[in-house]
Amino acid sequence: MTIRSTKHAFGAVTKTFHWVMALLVISVFSIGWYMDFLPLGMEKLEWISRHKSLGITVLALVILRVIWRVSEPSPHELGKLQIERLAAKAGHLGLYLLMFAMPLTGWTMSSAANFPVSVFGMFTLPNLVSPNQELFETLRTVHWLLSWAVAGLVGVHFLAALKHHFWDRDATLRRMLPGKLEEN
């Protein structure tokens, strides 16, 4: 398998970014959902800390992923219909925007609550805004709504991959799976 993508297939770096970020996004969403049900205490604070650290990791990786994506060719789209290709582009753009928006709203929300964002206990990020309870409440709602937008788009993305694989019988899913570079 090659490192870089070609006009026909995704390379190892792109596939690695895709699957690592997929696992991170699912983990951050799951942790966020789980920690909301915990009573205030040390366990909840530990899960919040993990959630923040992984969220900032998503932010760092999406920046690197965008740099990587614009620096190499993208494989040809396999959708048969123009509307499918447009929907795929819109879905990918939405996922990228949400991978920026979610960590940034979380970081800003923490800043507004005057709760520092420590990244795996190695360093603490600066506050983006001054403490502001009203802003915190607004951002908490926005962050929650965006989390469900992420869940919805990830679900549509997953279903579209299955549709391409089982209905259209094209290489869309196969060429993003780890392993051999699929030339189609």
Side-chain angles (χ1 to χ4, degrees):
M1 179 184 333
T2 62
I3 297 294
R4 298 184 65 80
S5 297
T6 68
K7 285 294 182 183
H8 301 286
F10 292 105
V13 173
T14 299
K15 288 181 181 186
T16 301
F17 269 130
H18 179 273
W19 292 107
V20 167
M21 293 193 72
L23 289 172
L24 279 171
V25 167
I26 291 167
S27 296
V28 171
F29 179 85
S30 299
I31 289 169
W33 185 79
Y34 173 72
M35 69 188 196
D36 275 352
F37 289 99
L38 293 174
L40 187 58
M42 283 309 295
E43 182 181 10
K44 182 172 188 145
L45 294 175
E46 288 170 1
W47 282 107
I48 290 171
S49 180
R50 288 182 193 110
H51 179 79
K52 290 179 183 183
S53 293
L54 291 174
I56 295 301
T57 303
V58 167
L59 180 61
L61 286 176
V62 77
I63 291 167
L64 293 174
R65 185 173 181 175
V66 167
I67 292 168
W68 182 259
R69 183 174 172 119
V70 299
S71 74
E72 69 165 8
S74 292
H76 296 294
E77 299 157 332
L78 298 178
K80 295 174 185 153
L81 303 174
Q82 179 68 17
I83 191 75
E84 285 181 337
R85 293 189 298 274
L86 287 172
K89 285 184 181 190
H92 286 117
L93 178 62
L95 285 169
Y96 277 103
L97 291 174
L98 287 167
M99 285 187 285
F100 278 105
M102 285 299 297
L104 289 173
T105 58
W107 182 4
T108 308
M109 176 178 61
S110 289
S111 298
N114 203 25
F115 295 137
V117 177
S118 171
V119 182
F120 298 109
M122 296 186 297
F123 58 93
T124 301
L125 298 176
N127 282 341
L128 295 176
V129 297
S130 299
N132 180 324
Q133 187 63 30
E134 186 177 328
L135 179 61
F136 165 75
E137 294 296 336
T138 299
L139 288 170
R140 183 165 62 175
T141 300
V142 169
H143 194 69
W144 182 83
L145 290 170
L146 290 176
S147 74
W148 288 104
V150 170
L153 266 180
V154 166
V156 168
H157 183 74
F158 176 74
L159 292 173
L162 293 178
K163 179 241 182 223
H164 277 281
H165 189 71
F166 293 109
W167 185 269
D168 298 340
R169 299 192 185 281
D170 66 26
T172 299
L173 177 61
R174 287 190 310 275
R175 66 185 186 173
M176 186 50 82
L177 292 174
K180 184 180 176 221
L181 192 64
E182 175 102 18
E183 292 286 343
N184 274 346

